Amino acid sequence: MKGGIRMIFYDQEMEGCQQETVVLKRIELAPEVLTAEIPQQMEPMSGAFRDMFYPYDNRPEVILSDREGSAQLTFAMLDKDMLPGECGDAAEAVRSYTEEEYPHNWISPVVCFRGGEVPVCWFLMILTEEDRQRHHVKAVFSVWGRFCLATFTYPEQERTKWEAIVKRFFSTLHIEERKDETGAGY
């Protein structure tokens, strides 16, 4: 996964900034297909963490986390057709399934973000684990007619920072131009 240009999103040295510095980098979520900006500290999750947090066979293609594993981002482009106009219905279906699987967790209604190149429909689930709460965002969107699912999981006490990071991620999703076998775009 290639990283690109880095930029400061939050700068704790700025007057009035209450947030720690967050530097963003542009990465390829799907090689030669999709890029987005994420926090610089997000790196491919180590094997031990991956086995602990995602112990199943069909793991997402991209699993990133901070060093401690407290903040996580996943991305998968599934082998399922979906047009951009079907994003809302698809997100509602994912939300319904999630609500059935996790009936004791609070789940928000689906919200559609249209502030970037790619329309994204998403919802928030609050996970209560032992004595702490974590926020878990599931985002659905279409790339090249395929169903894409991104998730963000982060500590509840970091929600202000991560709400801004998630929206920045949505607004920076960029679909690469498709190329034919000769390399010409279409």
Side-chain angles (χ1 to χ4, degrees):
M1 180 177 323
K2 293 188 264 182
I5 299 171
R6 292 172 176 18
M7 65 164 283
I8 295 177
F9 186 57
Y10 284 122
D11 184 355
Q12 69 186 15
E13 303 301 317
M14 292 283 291
E15 184 177 337
C17 184
Q18 304 272 321
Q19 189 59 258
E20 68 191 44
T21 298
V22 175
V23 177
L24 299 177
K25 63 183 177 183
R26 180 162 287 281
I27 65 161
E28 287 186 318
L29 291 166
E32 298 182 21
V33 176
L34 183 68
T35 63
E37 291 179 6
I38 64 167
Q40 182 173 319
Q41 75 265 23
M42 302 298 283
E43 293 291 335
M45 186 180 274
S46 73
F49 273 158
R50 205 173 42 248
D51 292 343
M52 181 173 70
F53 287 110
Y54 304 91
Y56 40 88
D57 291 333
N58 267 345
R59 295 177 182 154
E61 293 115 35
V62 175
I63 302 174
L64 307 173
S65 72
D66 60 6
R67 186 168 285 135
E68 300 79 33
S70 64
Q72 301 169 17
L73 182 160
T74 70
F75 170 77
M77 182 180 278
L78 305 175
D79 192 19
K80 182 172 175 59
D81 293 339
M82 185 179 84
L83 297 173
E86 299 170 332
C87 177
D89 290 340
E92 286 291 349
V94 172
R95 185 191 178 284
S96 292
Y97 174 79
T98 303
E99 196 168 44
E100 287 174 19
E101 291 295 310
Y102 300 94
H104 302 296
N105 292 310
W106 180 87
I107 300 176
S108 76
V110 169
V111 178
C112 291
F113 179 88
R114 300 193 192 289
E117 176 184 329
V118 180
V120 179
C121 294
W122 61 277
F123 62 92
L124 169 69
M125 178 169 64
I126 298 179
L127 304 169
T128 302
E129 303 164 335
E130 299 164 15
D131 61 344
R132 63 187 176 132
Q133 287 190 332
R134 293 168 46 85
H135 286 204
H136 180 73
V137 172
K138 287 190 183 292
V140 174
F141 50 96
S142 176
V143 173
W144 289 2
R146 303 249 320 268
F147 182 103
C148 295
L149 179 66
T151 68
F152 299 83
T153 307
Y154 49 88
E156 193 277 335
Q157 63 270 23
E158 294 182 15
R159 76 178 181 275
T160 301
K161 172 177 82 172
W162 278 96
E163 286 170 358
I165 290 170
V166 168
K167 287 180 184 166
R168 178 66 182 204
F169 173 87
F170 294 163
S171 70
T172 64
L173 285 168
H174 173 70
I175 300 171
E176 297 297 322
E177 184 177 316
R178 288 182 108 164
K179 300 200 181 335
D180 64 18
E181 57 278 348
T182 67
Y186 67 96

